[in-house]
Amino acid sequence: EFPYPPAPQVLEAIRVEATESVRRYPNPTSQLLREALAETCGLAPSNIFVGNGSDEILRLLVQGYLDRGETMAVVDPTYSLYPVLAEMFDGRISSHPVDSYGHLPQGLFANAPSMFMIANPNPPIGTQFEQADIKRLAKKHEKSLLVIDEAYVAFARQDCLPLVREHANVVISRTFSKSHGMAGMRVGYVAAHTAVIETLDKIRDSYNVNRVSQAAALAAVKAVDYYTEKCR
């Protein structure tokens, strides 16, 4: 959890939205937030999906792309939720120990699983994998979904967002919980090829992100200076 409060604009957006309007359903696709995130990422709104925190997003990706008995490849150690998600959908885990700081384990390149789940930077050890390695993995296993969990990307020296434009199998997952101080609001998003976004839209809850959270996240996207300084 972020040690600083959210930006003042975020708290004001929450106050403004917490009125009688909460009796109405939220926008089902978080449209205004998707448009703002698309502009920030240099993508189209059709390349953005908004979810109820990263955890919902990761679960939907596994639900949509890991069939029973298929394999999810991960590094070890990593975020402990990944094996849990694979087990939820009767999938298998292929675990590859991190043996060199900054480089993906070579075992990842050997066989093609249904999907990769790679946190970058990678908790709990903070390793950031080289973008060139991740690009090579995406190119070698282009039929496998490569999910890059960038929950901590605001504290890193680079991101993998350019790979979304180059490879249809690359998916970037991000969250407002860490660098934006909004863990309690439960907002995350995906940047990916439109086919991936369409799949997630088919299986998500009808109104998966509430009105107040959408407003808060939209304000956070615009509060760039505040969050850049706090992250620094």
Side-chain angles (χ1 to χ4, degrees):
E1 296 166 340
F2 208 50
Y4 302 103
Q9 301 96 306
V10 172
L11 298 178
E12 176 64 12
I14 293 172
R15 186 192 67 79
V16 169
E17 193 63 38
T19 65
E20 60 84 24
S21 67
V22 298
R23 66 185 173 81
R24 300 198 300 271
Y25 285 106
N27 183 280
T29 63
S30 304
Q31 185 63 27
L32 292 179
L33 180 54
R34 288 175 66 200
E35 290 173 359
L37 289 168
E39 183 175 356
T40 298
C41 295
L43 299 169
S46 59
N47 297 120
I48 302 293
F49 173 89
V50 178
N52 184 18
S54 282
D55 286 356
E56 185 204 32
I57 285 170
L58 297 174
R59 175 178 59 79
L60 290 174
L61 286 166
V62 176
Q63 181 181 349
Y65 288 93
L66 190 72
D67 290 336
R68 176 176 294 180
E70 293 184 340
T71 300
M72 173 198 295
V74 299
V75 302
D76 180 39
T78 193
Y79 184 26
S80 58
L81 181 65
Y82 303 153
V84 174
L85 293 174
E87 186 174 352
M88 282 174 61
F89 296 97
D90 296 322
R92 299 175 180 175
I93 283 287
S94 174
S95 185
H96 302 266
V98 176
D99 55 8
S100 175
Y101 186 85
H103 292 283
L104 291 172
Q106 287 304 300
L108 290 173
F109 295 88
N111 299 306
S114 293
M115 68 188 308
F116 296 92
M117 195 75 78
I118 308 292
N120 197 40
N122 178 45
I125 58 177
T127 302
Q128 183 169 28
F129 300 114
E130 295 293 339
Q131 188 180 107
D133 279 2
I134 296 176
K135 183 174 182 177
R136 183 162 64 94
L137 187 65
K139 188 173 182 179
K140 181 175 177 59
H141 299 307
E142 58 184 13
K143 293 185 178 180
S144 302
L145 194 74
L146 174 50
V147 179
I148 306 169
D149 183 354
E150 291 192 338
Y152 294 93
V153 74
F155 311 109
R157 63 183 182 273
Q158 64 179 2
D159 63 59
C160 291
L161 194 59
L163 299 185
V164 171
R165 305 183 190 99
E166 301 172 17
H167 301 278
N169 61 327
V170 170
V171 176
I172 303 290
S173 171
R174 291 181 176 176
T175 178
F176 285 84
S177 294
K178 314 299 183 188
S179 56
H180 289 78
M182 291 172 50
M185 301 303 292
R186 311 308 304 135
V187 185
Y189 67 97
V190 160
H193 190 274
T194 54
V196 175
I197 304 303
E198 288 169 0
T199 295
L200 296 178
D201 265 329
K202 290 176 184 177
I203 57 179
R204 68 173 172 83
D205 289 343
S206 300
Y207 302 96
N208 60 330
V209 181
N210 69 70
R211 294 179 66 94
V212 179
S213 292
Q214 287 185 38
L218 183 58
V221 171
K222 298 176 181 178
V224 176
D225 292 343
Y226 175 89
Y227 286 113
T228 299
E229 171 61 19
K230 289 293 185 287
C231 287
R232 188 190 64 77

